[in-house]
Amino acid sequence: EPVPFFNGLLGQDNHDADLPYFPTADNMPDPTPLPEPGICPEEGWHAVHLYYRIRRDQLALLSDSDRRKGCEQVEQLLDSKADHAPPVIQTFAVAGHKADFGMLLLGPDPLQIDAVKQRLQASALGPALEPTYSYVSRSEEHTSELQSH
């Protein structure tokens, strides 16, 4: 029989039902096995929403060859069929003054998603791209219908 919580501390021997009990192997439920630790969830995908403003003053400082090189780098980076690409890459124009374009990156591996952001900033156009807003979320489940490759 479990021992009331305060009995051991107070030396009392009453078995008042209102007192809490010490947990013992006999009165504890079986532990639920935990999933293996990792960054890729068993269910759901990581989603990153990134918004950028094009700094035209910085873009004007780049040479024509650097702008061409940067455009090629960004085009390759955003190719959803490339090996480095997360399952979903969506780009979109943003109306209004807070950003010029945005991206939605969706997939199970947050490091693969973050690599797109890092490569974008490291591209030849990176100095002309000002991050204005971002947020991270997780989908409740993933679906192959969303995959772009």
Side-chain angles (χ1 to χ4, degrees):
E1 178 176 329
V3 177
F5 179 75
F6 293 107
N7 283 0
L9 296 175
L10 303 175
Q12 297 173 350
D13 191 23
N14 85 22
H15 293 283
D16 187 349
D18 292 335
L19 294 176
Y21 289 93
F22 279 119
T24 66
D26 296 332
N27 66 3
M28 292 295 295
D30 290 333
T32 303
L34 296 174
E36 287 294 316
I39 59 172
C40 296
E42 290 180 16
E43 291 184 23
W45 277 353
H46 298 276
V48 175
H49 307 256
L50 304 168
Y51 296 86
Y52 292 91
R53 178 177 297 123
I54 298 172
R55 296 273 317 268
R56 283 149 184 86
D57 58 333
Q58 294 297 313
L59 194 59
L61 297 175
L62 298 175
S63 68
D64 287 343
S65 64
D66 281 344
R67 281 196 299 274
R68 275 193 300 278
K69 178 183 174 185
C71 288
E72 290 170 6
Q73 289 172 329
V74 171
E75 186 177 326
Q76 291 170 1
L77 176 65
L78 300 179
D79 178 2
S80 62
K81 307 241 185 284
D83 290 338
H84 69 269
V88 176
I89 296 178
Q90 291 292 318
T91 57
F92 49 91
V94 176
H97 65 281
K98 294 191 177 194
D100 293 309
F101 73 97
M103 294 189 300
L104 166 63
L105 307 169
L106 188 64
D109 187 348
L111 298 179
Q112 184 182 40
I113 291 171
D114 189 62
V116 173
K117 181 185 90 165
Q118 298 298 331
R119 288 180 183 149
L120 182 65
Q121 289 299 133
S123 74
L125 292 180
L129 301 177
E130 178 185 355
T132 59
Y133 187 70
S134 67
Y135 62 96
V136 177
S137 61
R138 279 242 340 248
S139 68
E140 291 182 17
E141 51 188 63
H142 59 271
T143 173
S144 58
E145 295 170 14
L146 292 175
Q147 289 187 320
S148 55
H149 56 94

